[in-house]
């Protein structure tokens, strides 16, 4: 199943539909990766689905200034907690894609 913006928007309205949407997404994609880089600072994130722990978000942040080493953080969040985070932070914008939402959520979770 290919995730569409409309399916994403509809799925956010129901605990069961969102669970099915996320499960189907990760069955097809296994992992969602993204990054941010502004030449001074970088973030790399990966999100996967663990059948026992829900969503596993791995976030690595660092600086190109030579101060310190990259920091890696792994967080576990249930699918429903993630849905509530999205709803409470008003990320249910129909124009936002799933990778964009995970990118935003990675900042919130870390």
């Amino acid at each position: 199943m290919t995730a569409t913006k409309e399916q994403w928007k509809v799925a956010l309205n129901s605990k069961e539909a969102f669970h099915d949407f996320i499960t189907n997404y990760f069955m097809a994609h296994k992992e969602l990766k993204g990054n941010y880089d502004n030449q001074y600072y970088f973030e790399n994130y990966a999100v996967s689905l663990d059948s026992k722990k829900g969503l596993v978000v791995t976030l690595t942040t660092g600086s190109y200034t030579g101060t310190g080493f990259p920091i890696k953080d792994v967080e576990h969040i249930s699918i429903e907690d993630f849905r509530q985070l999205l709803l409470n932070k008003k990320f249910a914008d129909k124009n936002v894609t799933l990778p964009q939402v995970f990118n935003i959520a990675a900042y919130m979770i870390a």
Side-chain angles (χ1 to χ4, degrees), residues 32-36 41 43-47 55-61 73-75 77 82 85-86 89 91 98-110:
L32 178 65
K33 291 185 175 185
N35 60 55
Y36 170 79
Y41 171 82
E43 292 185 351
N44 297 315
Y45 71 90
V47 181
L55 297 173
V56 180
V57 180
T58 304
L59 181 64
T60 304
T61 59
D73 184 32
V74 178
E75 297 286 340
I77 185 169
F82 183 64
L85 175 70
L86 298 175
K89 296 297 181 181
F91 294 138
L98 184 59
Q100 289 169 328
V101 169
F102 275 108
N103 189 25
I104 293 166
Y107 293 113
M108 306 297 280
I109 295 169

mmCIF file of all heavy atoms in Angstrom, residues 32-36 41 43-47 55-61 73-75 77 82 85-86 89 91 98-110:
data_model
loop_
_atom_site.group_PDB
_atom_site.id
_atom_site.type_symbol
_atom_site.label_atom_id
_atom_site.label_comp_id
_atom_site.label_asym_id
_atom_site.label_seq_id
_atom_site.Cartn_x
_atom_site.Cartn_y
_atom_site.Cartn_z
ATOM 1 N N LEU A 32 12.267 4.236 8.073
ATOM 2 C CA LEU A 32 12.172 5.568 7.502
ATOM 3 C C LEU A 32 13.387 6.351 7.964
ATOM 4 O O LEU A 32 13.636 6.446 9.164
ATOM 5 C CB LEU A 32 10.887 6.252 7.974
ATOM 6 C CG LEU A 32 10.665 7.683 7.494
ATOM 7 C CD1 LEU A 32 10.489 7.720 5.979
ATOM 8 C CD2 LEU A 32 9.442 8.264 8.165
ATOM 9 N N LYS A 33 14.161 6.853 7.026
ATOM 10 C CA LYS A 33 15.373 7.598 7.370
ATOM 11 C C LYS A 33 15.251 9.021 6.865
ATOM 12 O O LYS A 33 14.619 9.280 5.844
ATOM 13 C CB LYS A 33 16.607 6.959 6.740
ATOM 14 C CG LYS A 33 16.961 5.628 7.333
ATOM 15 C CD LYS A 33 18.254 5.108 6.748
ATOM 16 C CE LYS A 33 18.666 3.827 7.437
ATOM 17 N NZ LYS A 33 19.975 3.379 6.972
ATOM 18 N N GLY A 34 15.876 9.925 7.578
ATOM 19 C CA GLY A 34 15.895 11.320 7.166
ATOM 20 C C GLY A 34 17.067 12.026 7.807
ATOM 21 O O GLY A 34 17.761 11.473 8.658
ATOM 22 N N ASN A 35 17.286 13.254 7.373
ATOM 23 C CA ASN A 35 18.384 14.021 7.951
ATOM 24 C C ASN A 35 18.156 15.505 7.760
ATOM 25 O O ASN A 35 17.322 15.925 6.961
ATOM 26 C CB ASN A 35 19.725 13.608 7.350
ATOM 27 C CG ASN A 35 19.775 13.831 5.850
ATOM 28 O OD1 ASN A 35 19.542 14.918 5.369
ATOM 29 N ND2 ASN A 35 20.061 12.792 5.105
ATOM 30 N N TYR A 36 18.932 16.251 8.529
ATOM 31 C CA TYR A 36 18.946 17.708 8.450
ATOM 32 C C TYR A 36 20.397 18.131 8.578
ATOM 33 O O TYR A 36 21.147 17.571 9.380
ATOM 34 C CB TYR A 36 18.116 18.318 9.586
ATOM 35 C CG TYR A 36 18.286 19.810 9.691
ATOM 36 C CD1 TYR A 36 17.616 20.654 8.827
ATOM 37 C CD2 TYR A 36 19.137 20.368 10.639
ATOM 38 C CE1 TYR A 36 17.792 22.029 8.904
ATOM 39 C CE2 TYR A 36 19.314 21.734 10.721
ATOM 40 C CZ TYR A 36 18.639 22.558 9.852
ATOM 41 O OH TYR A 36 18.822 23.918 9.925
ATOM 42 N N TYR A 41 25.590 22.045 11.811
ATOM 43 C CA TYR A 41 24.922 21.102 12.700
ATOM 44 C C TYR A 41 24.226 20.059 11.835
ATOM 45 O O TYR A 41 23.740 20.370 10.750
ATOM 46 C CB TYR A 41 23.903 21.890 13.530
ATOM 47 C CG TYR A 41 22.967 21.065 14.354
ATOM 48 C CD1 TYR A 41 23.360 20.581 15.589
ATOM 49 C CD2 TYR A 41 21.679 20.787 13.912
ATOM 50 C CE1 TYR A 41 22.489 19.833 16.371
ATOM 51 C CE2 TYR A 41 20.807 20.044 14.687
ATOM 52 C CZ TYR A 41 21.220 19.572 15.915
ATOM 53 O OH TYR A 41 20.367 18.844 16.681
ATOM 54 N N GLU A 43 21.597 16.343 11.884
ATOM 55 C CA GLU A 43 20.749 15.363 12.549
ATOM 56 C C GLU A 43 20.439 14.261 11.550
ATOM 57 O O GLU A 43 20.091 14.546 10.401
ATOM 58 C CB GLU A 43 19.431 15.971 13.002
ATOM 59 C CG GLU A 43 19.564 16.973 14.096
ATOM 60 C CD GLU A 43 18.225 17.470 14.592
ATOM 61 O OE1 GLU A 43 17.189 17.159 13.981
ATOM 62 O OE2 GLU A 43 18.238 18.183 15.596
ATOM 63 N N ASN A 44 20.580 13.054 11.985
ATOM 64 C CA ASN A 44 20.172 11.893 11.198
ATOM 65 C C ASN A 44 19.184 11.115 12.050
ATOM 66 O O ASN A 44 19.420 10.914 13.241
ATOM 67 C CB ASN A 44 21.371 10.994 10.866
ATOM 68 C CG ASN A 44 22.378 11.703 10.003
ATOM 69 O OD1 ASN A 44 22.035 12.362 9.044
ATOM 70 N ND2 ASN A 44 23.640 11.584 10.365
ATOM 71 N N TYR A 45 18.091 10.692 11.461
ATOM 72 C CA TYR A 45 17.139 9.907 12.220
ATOM 73 C C TYR A 45 16.696 8.699 11.415
ATOM 74 O O TYR A 45 16.714 8.704 10.189
ATOM 75 C CB TYR A 45 15.927 10.731 12.668
ATOM 76 C CG TYR A 45 15.001 11.118 11.553
ATOM 77 C CD1 TYR A 45 13.945 10.295 11.198
ATOM 78 C CD2 TYR A 45 15.188 12.288 10.842
ATOM 79 C CE1 TYR A 45 13.091 10.632 10.162
ATOM 80 C CE2 TYR A 45 14.341 12.643 9.809
ATOM 81 C CZ TYR A 45 13.295 11.807 9.473
ATOM 82 O OH TYR A 45 12.464 12.144 8.449
ATOM 83 N N ALA A 46 16.335 7.672 12.131
ATOM 84 C CA ALA A 46 15.767 6.464 11.543
ATOM 85 C C ALA A 46 14.613 6.035 12.442
ATOM 86 O O ALA A 46 14.734 6.064 13.665
ATOM 87 C CB ALA A 46 16.810 5.361 11.447
ATOM 88 N N VAL A 47 13.523 5.654 11.827
ATOM 89 C CA VAL A 47 12.347 5.201 12.562
ATOM 90 C C VAL A 47 11.996 3.812 12.034
ATOM 91 O O VAL A 47 11.974 3.596 10.825
ATOM 92 C CB VAL A 47 11.148 6.147 12.362
ATOM 93 C CG1 VAL A 47 9.947 5.663 13.164
ATOM 94 C CG2 VAL A 47 11.506 7.575 12.718
ATOM 95 N N LEU A 55 7.147 2.171 17.986
ATOM 96 C CA LEU A 55 8.078 2.864 17.098
ATOM 97 C C LEU A 55 9.408 3.074 17.811
ATOM 98 O O LEU A 55 9.438 3.478 18.971
ATOM 99 C CB LEU A 55 7.500 4.209 16.670
ATOM 100 C CG LEU A 55 6.209 4.131 15.853
ATOM 101 C CD1 LEU A 55 5.643 5.521 15.645
ATOM 102 C CD2 LEU A 55 6.461 3.450 14.519
ATOM 103 N N VAL A 56 10.471 2.808 17.102
ATOM 104 C CA VAL A 56 11.811 3.009 17.631
ATOM 105 C C VAL A 56 12.428 4.147 16.816
ATOM 106 O O VAL A 56 12.584 4.036 15.601
ATOM 107 C CB VAL A 56 12.671 1.737 17.506
ATOM 108 C CG1 VAL A 56 14.066 1.980 18.059
ATOM 109 C CG2 VAL A 56 12.000 0.568 18.213
ATOM 110 N N VAL A 57 12.728 5.249 17.487
ATOM 111 C CA VAL A 57 13.301 6.427 16.828
ATOM 112 C C VAL A 57 14.753 6.545 17.266
ATOM 113 O O VAL A 57 15.050 6.656 18.456
ATOM 114 C CB VAL A 57 12.534 7.715 17.204
ATOM 115 C CG1 VAL A 57 13.150 8.924 16.521
ATOM 116 C CG2 VAL A 57 11.058 7.580 16.861
ATOM 117 N N THR A 58 15.664 6.501 16.300
ATOM 118 C CA THR A 58 17.086 6.673 16.569
ATOM 119 C C THR A 58 17.496 8.016 15.985
ATOM 120 O O THR A 58 17.337 8.254 14.788
ATOM 121 C CB THR A 58 17.915 5.549 15.925
ATOM 122 O OG1 THR A 58 17.429 4.296 16.406
ATOM 123 C CG2 THR A 58 19.392 5.692 16.252
ATOM 124 N N LEU A 59 17.998 8.892 16.837
ATOM 125 C CA LEU A 59 18.377 10.242 16.428
ATOM 126 C C LEU A 59 19.849 10.459 16.751
ATOM 127 O O LEU A 59 20.273 10.261 17.886
ATOM 128 C CB LEU A 59 17.522 11.273 17.160
ATOM 129 C CG LEU A 59 17.759 12.736 16.830
ATOM 130 C CD1 LEU A 59 17.409 13.030 15.379
ATOM 131 C CD2 LEU A 59 16.943 13.618 17.760
ATOM 132 N N THR A 60 20.624 10.832 15.742
ATOM 133 C CA THR A 60 22.032 11.153 15.928
ATOM 134 C C THR A 60 22.219 12.620 15.589
ATOM 135 O O THR A 60 21.851 13.063 14.497
ATOM 136 C CB THR A 60 22.930 10.293 15.019
ATOM 137 O OG1 THR A 60 22.647 8.917 15.269
ATOM 138 C CG2 THR A 60 24.401 10.574 15.274
ATOM 139 N N THR A 61 22.767 13.385 16.533
ATOM 140 C CA THR A 61 22.991 14.814 16.319
ATOM 141 C C THR A 61 24.458 15.120 16.537
ATOM 142 O O THR A 61 25.153 14.446 17.293
ATOM 143 C CB THR A 61 22.153 15.671 17.286
ATOM 144 O OG1 THR A 61 22.497 15.326 18.624
ATOM 145 C CG2 THR A 61 20.677 15.454 17.070
ATOM 146 N N ASP A 73 20.735 8.956 20.300
ATOM 147 C CA ASP A 73 19.670 8.728 21.264
ATOM 148 C C ASP A 73 18.650 7.792 20.629
ATOM 149 O O ASP A 73 18.281 7.972 19.462
ATOM 150 C CB ASP A 73 19.013 10.056 21.636
ATOM 151 C CG ASP A 73 17.953 9.900 22.714
ATOM 152 O OD1 ASP A 73 18.099 9.016 23.572
ATOM 153 O OD2 ASP A 73 16.980 10.674 22.686
ATOM 154 N N VAL A 74 18.219 6.805 21.373
ATOM 155 C CA VAL A 74 17.190 5.877 20.907
ATOM 156 C C VAL A 74 15.990 6.014 21.831
ATOM 157 O O VAL A 74 16.122 5.916 23.049
ATOM 158 C CB VAL A 74 17.699 4.419 20.904
ATOM 159 C CG1 VAL A 74 16.590 3.470 20.471
ATOM 160 C CG2 VAL A 74 18.916 4.274 20.005
ATOM 161 N N GLU A 75 14.844 6.264 21.245
ATOM 162 C CA GLU A 75 13.604 6.419 22.004
ATOM 163 C C GLU A 75 12.576 5.421 21.493
ATOM 164 O O GLU A 75 12.534 5.118 20.301
ATOM 165 C CB GLU A 75 13.035 7.830 21.837
ATOM 166 C CG GLU A 75 13.926 8.920 22.359
ATOM 167 C CD GLU A 75 13.977 9.007 23.868
ATOM 168 O OE1 GLU A 75 13.052 8.493 24.527
ATOM 169 O OE2 GLU A 75 14.950 9.561 24.376
ATOM 170 N N ILE A 77 8.430 4.700 21.387
ATOM 171 C CA ILE A 77 7.149 5.374 21.571
ATOM 172 C C ILE A 77 6.064 4.486 20.964
ATOM 173 O O ILE A 77 6.255 3.901 19.888
ATOM 174 C CB ILE A 77 7.160 6.791 20.938
ATOM 175 C CG1 ILE A 77 5.873 7.538 21.236
ATOM 176 C CG2 ILE A 77 7.454 6.752 19.469
ATOM 177 C CD1 ILE A 77 5.908 9.013 20.878
ATOM 178 N N PHE A 82 2.405 8.231 19.604
ATOM 179 C CA PHE A 82 2.859 9.009 18.457
ATOM 180 C C PHE A 82 1.679 9.722 17.796
ATOM 181 O O PHE A 82 1.762 10.907 17.465
ATOM 182 C CB PHE A 82 3.570 8.107 17.453
ATOM 183 C CG PHE A 82 4.125 8.841 16.268
ATOM 184 C CD1 PHE A 82 5.125 9.786 16.422
ATOM 185 C CD2 PHE A 82 3.649 8.590 14.994
ATOM 186 C CE1 PHE A 82 5.639 10.467 15.325
ATOM 187 C CE2 PHE A 82 4.155 9.258 13.901
ATOM 188 C CZ PHE A 82 5.153 10.203 14.075
ATOM 189 N N LEU A 85 0.746 12.618 19.943
ATOM 190 C CA LEU A 85 1.735 13.688 19.768
ATOM 191 C C LEU A 85 1.414 14.498 18.520
ATOM 192 O O LEU A 85 1.404 15.730 18.547
ATOM 193 C CB LEU A 85 3.147 13.097 19.663
ATOM 194 C CG LEU A 85 4.263 14.082 19.350
ATOM 195 C CD1 LEU A 85 4.529 15.002 20.530
ATOM 196 C CD2 LEU A 85 5.526 13.341 18.966
ATOM 197 N N LEU A 86 1.113 13.797 17.448
ATOM 198 C CA LEU A 86 0.795 14.482 16.193
ATOM 199 C C LEU A 86 -0.475 15.308 16.315
ATOM 200 O O LEU A 86 -0.524 16.464 15.875
ATOM 201 C CB LEU A 86 0.648 13.469 15.066
ATOM 202 C CG LEU A 86 1.892 12.658 14.757
ATOM 203 C CD1 LEU A 86 1.569 11.602 13.714
ATOM 204 C CD2 LEU A 86 3.018 13.546 14.292
ATOM 205 N N LYS A 89 0.025 18.377 18.677
ATOM 206 C CA LYS A 89 0.931 19.396 18.125
ATOM 207 C C LYS A 89 0.418 19.940 16.796
ATOM 208 O O LYS A 89 1.108 20.684 16.127
ATOM 209 C CB LYS A 89 2.344 18.818 17.952
ATOM 210 C CG LYS A 89 2.991 18.435 19.272
ATOM 211 C CD LYS A 89 3.178 19.651 20.152
ATOM 212 C CE LYS A 89 3.841 19.251 21.458
ATOM 213 N NZ LYS A 89 4.035 20.364 22.355
ATOM 214 N N PHE A 91 -0.026 18.527 13.860
ATOM 215 C CA PHE A 91 0.699 18.141 12.655
ATOM 216 C C PHE A 91 -0.189 17.392 11.667
ATOM 217 O O PHE A 91 0.297 16.784 10.740
ATOM 218 C CB PHE A 91 1.890 17.243 12.992
ATOM 219 C CG PHE A 91 2.949 17.943 13.777
ATOM 220 C CD1 PHE A 91 3.567 17.311 14.829
ATOM 221 C CD2 PHE A 91 3.335 19.230 13.469
ATOM 222 C CE1 PHE A 91 4.550 17.948 15.568
ATOM 223 C CE2 PHE A 91 4.312 19.876 14.198
ATOM 224 C CZ PHE A 91 4.922 19.229 15.246
ATOM 225 N N LEU A 98 4.409 11.861 5.408
ATOM 226 C CA LEU A 98 4.839 11.031 6.530
ATOM 227 C C LEU A 98 6.308 11.280 6.893
ATOM 228 O O LEU A 98 6.624 11.471 8.068
ATOM 229 C CB LEU A 98 4.596 9.552 6.220
ATOM 230 C CG LEU A 98 4.900 8.568 7.341
ATOM 231 C CD1 LEU A 98 4.074 8.862 8.580
ATOM 232 C CD2 LEU A 98 4.652 7.157 6.865
ATOM 233 N N PRO A 99 7.244 11.326 5.941
ATOM 234 C CA PRO A 99 8.629 11.646 6.332
ATOM 235 C C PRO A 99 8.769 13.001 7.022
ATOM 236 O O PRO A 99 9.550 13.142 7.966
ATOM 237 C CB PRO A 99 9.390 11.626 5.008
ATOM 238 C CG PRO A 99 8.602 10.706 4.150
ATOM 239 C CD PRO A 99 7.159 10.946 4.540
ATOM 240 N N GLN A 100 8.025 13.996 6.587
ATOM 241 C CA GLN A 100 8.099 15.309 7.231
ATOM 242 C C GLN A 100 7.595 15.232 8.669
ATOM 243 O O GLN A 100 8.172 15.843 9.567
ATOM 244 C CB GLN A 100 7.279 16.334 6.445
ATOM 245 C CG GLN A 100 7.889 16.708 5.124
ATOM 246 C CD GLN A 100 6.923 17.506 4.252
ATOM 247 O OE1 GLN A 100 5.714 17.318 4.301
ATOM 248 N NE2 GLN A 100 7.472 18.393 3.442
ATOM 249 N N VAL A 101 6.545 14.465 8.907
ATOM 250 C CA VAL A 101 6.004 14.326 10.251
ATOM 251 C C VAL A 101 7.008 13.636 11.157
ATOM 252 O O VAL A 101 7.246 14.053 12.283
ATOM 253 C CB VAL A 101 4.664 13.568 10.237
ATOM 254 C CG1 VAL A 101 4.240 13.183 11.636
ATOM 255 C CG2 VAL A 101 3.594 14.420 9.584
ATOM 256 N N PHE A 102 7.650 12.571 10.658
ATOM 257 C CA PHE A 102 8.648 11.885 11.472
ATOM 258 C C PHE A 102 9.838 12.792 11.759
ATOM 259 O O PHE A 102 10.414 12.750 12.839
ATOM 260 C CB PHE A 102 9.108 10.594 10.808
ATOM 261 C CG PHE A 102 8.202 9.440 11.118
ATOM 262 C CD1 PHE A 102 7.362 8.928 10.158
ATOM 263 C CD2 PHE A 102 8.194 8.873 12.377
ATOM 264 C CE1 PHE A 102 6.524 7.866 10.435
ATOM 265 C CE2 PHE A 102 7.355 7.815 12.674
ATOM 266 C CZ PHE A 102 6.517 7.306 11.701
ATOM 267 N N ASN A 103 10.191 13.608 10.808
ATOM 268 C CA ASN A 103 11.293 14.551 11.027
ATOM 269 C C ASN A 103 10.931 15.504 12.162
ATOM 270 O O ASN A 103 11.729 15.733 13.080
ATOM 271 C CB ASN A 103 11.597 15.312 9.740
ATOM 272 C CG ASN A 103 12.846 16.142 9.837
ATOM 273 O OD1 ASN A 103 13.735 15.856 10.627
ATOM 274 N ND2 ASN A 103 12.931 17.185 9.036
ATOM 275 N N ILE A 104 9.735 16.042 12.130
ATOM 276 C CA ILE A 104 9.284 16.951 13.180
ATOM 277 C C ILE A 104 9.207 16.211 14.512
ATOM 278 O O ILE A 104 9.657 16.699 15.546
ATOM 279 C CB ILE A 104 7.922 17.570 12.810
ATOM 280 C CG1 ILE A 104 8.073 18.490 11.593
ATOM 281 C CG2 ILE A 104 7.325 18.332 13.990
ATOM 282 C CD1 ILE A 104 6.760 18.883 10.938
ATOM 283 N N ALA A 105 8.668 15.000 14.480
ATOM 284 C CA ALA A 105 8.519 14.225 15.715
ATOM 285 C C ALA A 105 9.872 13.847 16.310
ATOM 286 O O ALA A 105 10.021 13.802 17.519
ATOM 287 C CB ALA A 105 7.692 12.974 15.453
ATOM 288 N N ALA A 106 10.859 13.613 15.468
ATOM 289 C CA ALA A 106 12.185 13.266 15.972
ATOM 290 C C ALA A 106 12.725 14.397 16.858
ATOM 291 O O ALA A 106 13.356 14.155 17.876
ATOM 292 C CB ALA A 106 13.143 12.982 14.820
ATOM 293 N N TYR A 107 12.450 15.638 16.457
ATOM 294 C CA TYR A 107 12.858 16.780 17.285
ATOM 295 C C TYR A 107 12.117 16.784 18.616
ATOM 296 O O TYR A 107 12.677 17.109 19.650
ATOM 297 C CB TYR A 107 12.552 18.113 16.588
ATOM 298 C CG TYR A 107 13.364 18.370 15.366
ATOM 299 C CD1 TYR A 107 12.763 18.406 14.122
ATOM 300 C CD2 TYR A 107 14.737 18.597 15.443
ATOM 301 C CE1 TYR A 107 13.502 18.668 12.986
ATOM 302 C CE2 TYR A 107 15.482 18.853 14.308
ATOM 303 C CZ TYR A 107 14.859 18.891 13.082
ATOM 304 O OH TYR A 107 15.598 19.135 11.954
ATOM 305 N N MET A 108 10.838 16.429 18.584
ATOM 306 C CA MET A 108 9.997 16.489 19.775
ATOM 307 C C MET A 108 10.348 15.376 20.767
ATOM 308 O O MET A 108 10.304 15.573 21.966
ATOM 309 C CB MET A 108 8.528 16.373 19.398
ATOM 310 C CG MET A 108 8.069 17.368 18.358
ATOM 311 S SD MET A 108 8.188 19.048 18.891
ATOM 312 C CE MET A 108 6.717 19.141 19.858
ATOM 313 N N ILE A 109 10.672 14.193 20.249
ATOM 314 C CA ILE A 109 10.922 13.032 21.090
ATOM 315 C C ILE A 109 12.292 13.116 21.753
ATOM 316 O O ILE A 109 12.451 12.745 22.896
ATOM 317 C CB ILE A 109 10.808 11.737 20.263
ATOM 318 C CG1 ILE A 109 9.357 11.561 19.769
ATOM 319 C CG2 ILE A 109 11.230 10.527 21.080
ATOM 320 C CD1 ILE A 109 9.185 10.498 18.745
ATOM 321 N N ALA A 110 13.262 13.602 21.025
ATOM 322 C CA ALA A 110 14.653 13.572 21.525
ATOM 323 C C ALA A 110 14.841 14.433 22.749
ATOM 324 O O ALA A 110 14.170 15.336 23.043
ATOM 325 C CB ALA A 110 15.594 14.027 20.432
#
